[in-house]
Amino acid sequence: MAGRFAPRNARRAPVPHQAAAVPVPAAQTRVWTPPGPLDLRLVLGPLRRGPADPTFRMVADGSVRRSSRTPEGPGTLHVVARDGRIEASAWGPGAPWLLDQLPTLLGAGDDPAAFTPRHRLLAQTQHRRPGLRLLRTGLVLESLIPSILEQKVTTDEAYRAWRLLVRQYGEPAPGPQEFGLYVMPDARTWSLIPSWDWHRAGVDSKRSATILRTVRVARRMEEAAAMDLPDALTRLQAIPGIGPWTAAETLQRSNGAPDAVTVGDFHLPGIVGHALAGNRHADDDEMLTLLTPYEGQRHRATRLILLSGATPPRRAPRFQPRDIARL
């Protein structure tokens, strides 16, 4: 689920050891003033795939760093909020594209006023989180591949796979070396990953095969970023192995779709059921019934529920994942 909880306080990113200093090209910059309150970490948090994501860093000074493979090439973006303004720096061939898309990324096209809370919990959470906006990256593959990796496994397993594969097959991101970021592999590189490295990363053959089918039609997948939600869902689910859960998780990030509700999730129906009806055992059908008053804004409603902290108490030990790389 995109942005399942509020982002934790960030730790300072470790500075990797470098044998010799490498000159860094001058950054391109942009300053943008959002039309209202904007919580940078809350908006961009759904892009982080675990605390050690090699493509994303939340830094202790309040800034966010992320790498992307844009239509113009790899790029690194560093954003910080100061005095009601967003100051951004970017490096690499993709820098102009990243800066041009900065307002869209940070939810300039989102309309929180379109959401009318029908439950006290959501009204209170919306009031406490005025800086929440639904981001829109405009890039499908960078959210689709990690969403596929998250199918039917724990988040820790998926985060580990993403981290290992990006570090091994990606490339160092443009910009200051101390950022320590990597750019995810391009479509061709994903297609060339051998089976033993998928296995070593803990990715079973079903998920790796889905990724291979996806990258073969990468250009068609990226077209979904400009589609309306129903057409975009249809486009993504045309790939065997991509179902409603994966498509929604992707389009929440790439398209900023406020109604892309996640169905098929192991935890979300129980969380929504507990928050809105006191039923921690709710299934997808009951969740969708409870979210009916928020038709058109169901993803925003679930984000507010998750950010409220009104989750059912744990009643069983945490599931211990099995590392298939040891088999």
Side-chain angles (χ1 to χ4, degrees), residues 125-289:
T125 307
Q126 186 181 38
H127 179 73
R128 292 196 305 266
R129 304 283 187 177
L132 175 64
R133 297 290 185 276
L134 301 183
L135 67 92
R136 181 172 186 164
T137 66
L139 300 169
V140 173
L141 220 61
E142 73 171 25
S143 292
L144 179 54
I145 290 177
S147 294
I148 294 172
L149 292 175
E150 292 173 5
Q151 293 175 349
K152 305 298 183 181
V153 296
T154 65
T155 53
D156 287 344
E157 292 174 279
Y159 293 159
R160 174 182 178 272
W162 174 249
R163 181 173 66 250
L164 292 178
L165 293 169
V166 170
R167 286 189 176 276
Q168 182 173 357
Y169 289 98
E171 59 188 89
Q177 298 176 28
E178 64 265 24
F179 284 10
L181 296 177
Y182 283 75
V183 181
M184 64 170 271
D186 60 19
R188 182 175 185 275
T189 303
W190 283 111
S191 71
L192 296 176
I193 296 177
S195 60
W196 51 87
D197 278 339
W198 289 111
H199 185 79
R200 187 177 294 118
V203 182
D204 56 60
S205 59
K206 182 178 180 179
R207 287 178 291 152
S208 63
T210 300
I211 291 175
L212 293 178
R213 286 191 291 266
T214 299
V215 298
R216 292 191 189 107
V217 290
R219 189 171 301 177
R220 298 283 286 168
M221 293 293 100
E222 293 294 351
E223 292 173 358
M227 295 179 176
D228 293 334
L229 180 60
D231 293 335
L233 288 168
T234 300
R235 174 65 60 89
L236 266 58
Q237 293 180 77
I239 303 296
I242 297 178
W245 184 92
T246 307
E249 288 287 307
T250 300
L251 297 175
Q252 289 165 6
R253 298 167 172 88
S254 64
N255 293 33
D259 199 45
V261 61
T262 301
V263 295
D265 191 85
F266 185 76
H267 300 284
L268 186 60
I271 294 173
V272 173
H274 173 78
L276 300 186
N279 180 15
R280 63 179 295 154
H281 302 294
D283 57 15
D284 277 335
D285 289 338
E286 182 169 351
M287 177 183 70
L288 293 175
T289 298

